């Protein structure tokens, strides 16, 4: 049985899930030995440790070895990867793309599904790789870089498959001619890819953010060059290696999927993006570089997730404690290093109504601060939630931010058992006025949040929506008991192109975006020019070449 | 009954036709009194004549009147249109767009369907308007600017409706939590438009090429500014007027659809395209201006149909006479002023095998020339096929082209009964060698064609495909008896992103692109960056704004 048939049922479920957007997941997020095998955890850790301090066996040619990854938990990985220059990479990708383009939809999609299946089996290895590059705590690294990212890959494959199969393969076109013989044409429609697809990865979610583009492009017949962030190469190197193994087994040139590693001191991203052989660019990263890519890439077909400033508007709540706890978790998770993490919390100067009575602005701020303290009170739990800071610049940013407002809760580094040199920081919470938009109006990536004193909920909504339109935003969150306020916020945030979560007090957080259900990034504000989970993300990655033939008389 | 319900059955048929791509048409192409009403033809002509020499009643504010259209059949139309500056237009469009964006999918799609229905009723008026701006002969103007363009509009509406309704309006998302209570979110997905959509029209097929963009953008909630070519304003002015009437009747601000007329001496297109309020640009026109639009428009969301050089490859045929007749018609129809008309006919130096025996290169060229002479032998038939030259520059281009090769058949102006000053030209057919690519390797818009002597069919295919990749092409045509040659050409042209027609000898011509079946423009070579008839053409014209709400416990 071929790969396609082997995974067909899962594919069909995924296509259906994308349509209904009800809860569905293909890959278990629980890192349990019962699911992944009793030795899976230990095996993954061993495999990771065996990779340290050595050249990575990618099976890809390279004129030199690069790689200087350092774990946010302290140690240098010492892994090097074979590197080639952009011309060589693009040439090899173009050459490999030829056979891939000719493959049937089923053959290509089957290969993609098999890659994802094998990635799933390596979830513990990938978790270790993600932990020691992104700084995510182990359990988050397992979920986000493992099964959640695999779900995202499957989602992209499902969208691509659905989109390609909407094009009929052939049709008999018979046009009546009154009493005369009809005109008859046999038409055949062939899916043709764009060419070489360049996927530029980020340092915080290399697989979760990279897989949608990688698999959308692969499934639609493009060859893919994965350019990892120099600080987070390993998770994508493992991914590419697994992909190349499956491609080889299926009889394709493994260069259909290539890695383009570099080092921060000698970056090759611009040269790759400007290469005339590149037909698609996907980018996750900073707005500054995102703008450069949009303006300078050799192709107009550029999909970006850049960054934004996410807001919470507090109007009222019937669960003050639940609200504070929920916000505390959202601010703390992975030390605020998520594109979906909130930064700005808008609270009216006159305070808010809650189930615990009226709470002043200061009481709301203090309530959130206390909830953070409580959440992070246990060092083990704190480490599991916060993880580590991916980049030293974030630590410096926290230091610089302290003077931007009144400190409600200070940031502190937190111990991580077993990693004495981990770079960590708990959330910094600052109180500012609405007029202090030089403080809250810029993105402050990391565990930095502002409680912003506004004149009213109406002003809170207006400021948050305006900020989203100007600077971008991926998520927004509202606490309000009145349907009128919810409607007002829903309107304002929809117009600003931001996903809105309302009254989250339980086990779901505004940072979380579920595959097959949530639309991640709207493409409708500066946080990104594309949604990563819709038809538009895949429909333009291939084109249709029709042939019509006059039916012999 | 609302507009949506009134036209629902037609919409569903159109959605189905887009999927099967079998023959289907909503609007009869036969200009018969039995279908359109016995007085329809006379009424349309009267209505057209009543518009001449007067300000056009658009119902749209304007600081001044513009318009200097001159019929290719000789007379000045003398119609003026209200013109406003780009800032005023964009501001009015943004304002009107607000209510349009909030309307339901059904309300918007219903309005679009009603506009198309009313356009159909005015097909004879539009035929006259198109004839005296584009230069198409009356019957072609009726079909191409009337029912065929209406089918294209319906096709775009169907794609937009299908795409929008793939997004569920709401879903209950229930995530199991082992033995605990599940997490439950109510999710609502709202379609949000991009904003103001600018549609830049062309002079040869103002409605056929403009309707897909106009209706795709309208249906997906964008307000639309139609910038007609200064030489072909009237067909789009009638369209916009009918659209504004329907919008008003449905309770919307008519400025959801606006006309932005200008004159060649004082063009406003660049200012409009660069306006920061414009979110989508659709362009049909020259590659030079298309490149400017792609590089300078205020938005990255730009859809273009530019131009290309279309080829015919002759390898062999079992119907030499049918082939020559078919090619003759393709070269003559609307004097070669179609984006789908062939220019280059590749023939091996050693000649080709046919049902009439071996034909030398010269005999093939002579056969096509003779077929043109025969086709255009009757002056009335000639006028009905050729129409007139839209632009004086085309007449000059023919003059200049005569020295580019050996004249196999010369171009001549042809009389048109009733229009002594019509600007007409029959096809110029030149014999050149493959190496003379300075002659055939550039687009020569109008009735100019080359019979190119090549070393072999293999070379013919390679040259035609290479030309398509470099200069763009929308159509290609092949005559070959061997399946091997057909496969070889199918591969080569698919890789070059060109639609291929094989062995057309009957009543279908390579120039013709059928709504609901043929993919018009591939978007995969320089002839245009988009296909006008697929999901990708509509999927990015709207975005999704999600709201999720924790279910009250």
């Amino acid at each position: 049985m071929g790969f396609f048939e082997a995974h067909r049922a899962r594919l069909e479920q995924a296509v259906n899930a994308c349509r209904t957007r009800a809860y569905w997941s293909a890959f278990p997020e629980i890192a349990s030995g019962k699911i992944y095998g009793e030795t899976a955890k230990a095996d993954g850790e061993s495999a990771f440790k065996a990779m340290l301090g050595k050249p990575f066996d990618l099976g890809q040619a390279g004129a030199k070895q690069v790689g200087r990854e350092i774990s946010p938990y302290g140690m240098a990985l010492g892994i090097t990867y074979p590197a080639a220059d952009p011309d060589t990479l693009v040439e090899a990708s173009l050459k490999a793309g030829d056979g891939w383009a000719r493959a049937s939809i089923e053959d290509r999609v089957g290969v993609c599904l098999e890659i994802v299946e094998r990635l799933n089996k390596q979830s513990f290895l990938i978790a270790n790789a993600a932990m020691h590059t992104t700084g995510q705590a182990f359990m988050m690294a397992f979920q986000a870089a493992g099964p959640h990212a695999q779900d995202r890959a499957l989602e992209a494959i499902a969208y691509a498959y659905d989109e390609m199969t909407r094009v009929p393969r052939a049709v008999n076109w018979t046009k009546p001619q009154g009493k005369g013989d009809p005109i008859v044409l046999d038409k055949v429609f062939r899916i043709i890819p764009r060419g070489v697809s360049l996927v530029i990865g980020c340092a915080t979610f290399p697989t979760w953010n990279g897989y949608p583009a990688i698999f959308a492009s692969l499934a639609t017949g493009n060859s893919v060059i994965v350019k990892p962030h120099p600080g987070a190469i390993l998770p994508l190197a493992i991914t590419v290696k697994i992909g190349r193994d499956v491609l080889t087994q299926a009889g394709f040139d493994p260069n259909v999927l290539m890695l383009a590693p570099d080092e921060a001191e000698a970056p090759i991203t611009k040269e790759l993006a400007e290469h005339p052989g590149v037909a698609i660019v996907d980018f996750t990263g900073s707005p500054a570089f995102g703008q450069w890519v949009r303006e300078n890439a050799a192709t107009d077909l550029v999909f970006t997730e850049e960054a934004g400033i996410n807001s919470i508007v507090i109007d009222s709540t019937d669960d003050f404690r639940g609200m504070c706890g929920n916000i505390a978790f959202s601010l703390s998770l992975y030390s605020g290093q998520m594109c979906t993490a909130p930064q700005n919390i808008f609270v009216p100067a006159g305070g808010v109504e809650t189930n615990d009575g009226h709470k002043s602005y200061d009481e709301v701020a203090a309530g959130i601060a206390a909830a953070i303290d409580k959440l992070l009170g246990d060092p083990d739990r704190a480490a599991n939630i916060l993880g580590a800071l991916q980049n030293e610049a974030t630590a410096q940013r926290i230091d610089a931010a302290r003077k931007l407002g009144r400190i409600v809760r200070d940031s502190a580094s937190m111990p991580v058992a077993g990693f004495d040199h981990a770079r960590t920081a708990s959330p910094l919470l600052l109180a500012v006025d609405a007029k202090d938009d030089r403080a809250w109006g810029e993105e402050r990536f990391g565990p930095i949040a502002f409680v912003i004193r506004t004149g009213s909920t109406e002003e809170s909504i207006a400021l948050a929506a305006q900020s989203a339109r100007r600077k971008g935003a991926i998520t927004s969150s509202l606490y309000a008991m009145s349907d009128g306020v919810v409607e007002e916020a829903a309107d304002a945030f929809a117009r600003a192109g931001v996903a809105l979560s309302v009254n989250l007090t339980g086990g779901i957080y505004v940072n979380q975006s579920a595959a097959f259900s949530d639309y991640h990034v709207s493409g409708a504000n500066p946080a990104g020019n594309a949604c990563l989970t819709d038809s538009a993300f895949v429909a333009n990655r291939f084109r249709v070449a029709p042939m019509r033939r006059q039916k012999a008389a």
Side-chain angles (χ1 to χ4, degrees), chain A:
Chain A
M1 184 161 72
F3 292 143
F4 183 79
E5 286 306 325
H7 303 297
R8 182 178 206 141
R10 174 180 284 165
L11 176 66
E12 285 169 359
Q13 286 178 290
V15 168
N16 184 55
C18 291
R19 283 185 190 149
T20 67
R21 302 192 93 83
Y23 172 77
W24 189 72
S25 170
F27 300 103
E29 68 183 2
I30 299 171
S32 155
K34 287 185 188 143
I35 297 167
Y36 285 94
E38 292 304 337
T39 63
K41 189 169 184 205
D43 292 349
E45 195 174 339
S46 307
F48 169 69
K49 287 189 172 159
M51 288 175 172
L52 299 177
K54 296 198 189 83
F56 185 88
D57 176 25
L58 190 62
Q60 189 181 309
K64 57 176 177 177
Q65 294 285 122
V66 299
R68 300 191 191 183
E69 291 158 292
I70 295 170
S71 169
Y73 291 92
M75 81 277 199
L77 301 196
I79 309 175
T80 61
Y81 308 86
D85 64 278
D87 278 343
T88 305
L89 289 164
V90 173
E91 199 179 314
S93 186
L94 280 168
K95 184 161 167 283
D98 214 56
W100 188 240
R102 289 168 191 271
S104 71
I105 293 173
E106 288 72 21
D107 282 351
R108 286 198 306 252
V109 167
V111 164
C112 289
L113 293 168
E114 176 67 14
I115 296 172
V116 180
E117 171 71 19
R118 294 195 197 177
L119 287 171
N120 180 249
K121 293 208 167 70
Q122 296 300 326
S123 291
F124 281 97
L125 167 60
I126 290 169
N128 281 279
M131 175 180 176
H132 289 291
T133 48
T134 69
Q136 288 167 25
F138 181 79
M139 195 48 62
M140 180 172 182
F142 177 86
Q143 295 191 334
H148 289 177
Q150 293 145 16
D151 272 345
R152 303 294 312 270
L154 177 57
E155 185 180 25
I157 297 165
Y159 265 107
Y161 178 73
D162 194 30
E163 203 62 41
M164 289 189 287
T165 51
R166 287 173 85 191
V167 178
R169 311 217 173 179
V171 68
N172 174 283
W173 186 85
T174 301
K175 180 176 180 178
Q177 299 291 299
K179 287 171 187 164
D181 287 339
I183 295 172
V184 182
L185 293 174
D186 283 329
K187 300 189 182 188
V188 175
F189 303 105
R190 192 190 295 215
I191 301 286
I192 50 169
R194 290 288 190 170
V196 175
S197 171
L198 172 66
V199 179
I200 304 169
C202 67
T204 46
F205 289 92
T207 64
W208 197 91
N209 271 107
Y211 284 2
I214 292 171
F215 287 94
S217 276
L218 278 181
T220 50
N222 304 281
S223 52
V224 173
I225 297 174
V226 178
K227 164 64 194 69
H229 188 283
I233 303 175
L234 187 58
L236 289 171
I238 295 169
T239 301
V240 168
K241 181 178 165 58
I242 290 173
R244 292 170 64 88
D245 287 347
V246 176
L247 283 160
T248 304
Q249 188 184 333
F252 294 101
D253 183 335
N255 288 337
V256 165
L257 181 59
M258 299 182 86
L259 192 74
D262 64 0
E263 290 172 350
E265 297 72 24
I268 61 169
T269 314
K270 287 190 174 181
E271 208 180 327
L272 276 169
E274 283 176 324
H275 197 291
V278 168
I280 306 175
V281 178
D282 285 271
F283 169 80
T284 311
S286 72
F289 199 52
Q291 182 179 2
W292 184 92
V293 171
R294 283 184 278 105
E295 291 176 358
N296 295 285
T299 171
D300 288 336
L301 205 57
V302 175
F303 301 85
T304 71
E305 177 180 334
E306 304 179 34
I309 310 173
N310 304 315
S311 296
I312 298 176
V313 170
I314 303 180
D315 173 77
S316 54
T317 178
D318 62 0
D319 181 1
F320 183 69
R321 194 176 150 169
M323 177 187 84
C324 290
N326 192 281
I327 293 173
F329 190 87
S330 282
L331 297 177
S332 303
L333 186 62
Y334 188 27
S335 310
Q337 300 170 100
M338 302 176 73
C339 58
T340 50
Q343 170 182 307
N344 292 335
I345 305 164
F346 293 90
V347 180
V352 302
E353 297 307 316
T354 82
N355 58 316
D356 291 341
H358 184 85
K359 298 282 182 184
S360 70
Y361 165 84
D362 283 336
E363 285 169 333
V364 172
I368 297 168
I372 297 172
D373 289 340
K374 188 179 169 202
L375 181 70
L376 305 180
D378 175 68
D380 276 355
R381 188 169 62 191
N384 284 337
I385 293 170
L386 291 170
L389 298 183
Q390 202 281 327
N391 198 310
E392 176 60 26
T394 302
Q396 292 163 6
R397 197 176 300 114
I398 298 167
D399 282 344
R402 285 197 174 88
K403 63 176 191 297
L404 294 173
R406 175 171 61 81
I407 296 177
V408 178
R409 183 192 184 281
D410 202 359
S411 172
S413 68
M414 309 282 284
V416 183
F419 296 103
D420 293 346
H421 300 289
R423 180 170 51 220
T424 61
S426 70
L428 171 68
L429 196 62
L430 298 160
V432 296
D433 278 343
K435 66 177 169 44
D436 300 332
D437 61 350
R438 286 201 298 185
W440 62 263
E442 298 297 325
E443 191 205 7
R444 313 270 176 198
F445 186 74
I448 301 165
F450 298 90
V451 185
I452 301 160
R453 186 196 306 260
T454 68
S456 63
T457 292
E458 202 173 8
E459 189 190 358
S460 297
I461 293 171
L463 289 173
Q466 191 181 64
S467 163
R469 280 196 303 274
R470 288 188 186 162
K471 298 281 183 167
I474 294 176
T475 65
S476 60
S477 177
L478 170 74
Y479 292 90
M481 292 300 96
S482 133
D483 281 347
V485 174
V486 173
E487 273 313 299
E488 189 192 333
D491 260 22
F493 287 116
R495 287 152 60 95
V498 194
L500 174 63
S501 295
V502 180
N503 294 336
L504 300 186
T505 55
I508 283 284
Y509 306 93
V510 65
N511 329 30
Q512 295 173 321
S513 177
F516 305 105
S517 182
D518 292 318
Y519 287 86
H520 183 65
V521 191
S522 73
N525 67 48
N529 76 357
C531 173
L532 274 65
T533 54
D534 68 1
S535 304
F537 190 67
V538 300
N540 219 350
R541 291 179 196 260
F542 68 90
R543 306 279 68 218
V544 176
M547 174 168 80
R548 56 186 192 180
R549 197 167 180 167
Q550 186 173 303
K551 191 95 173 174

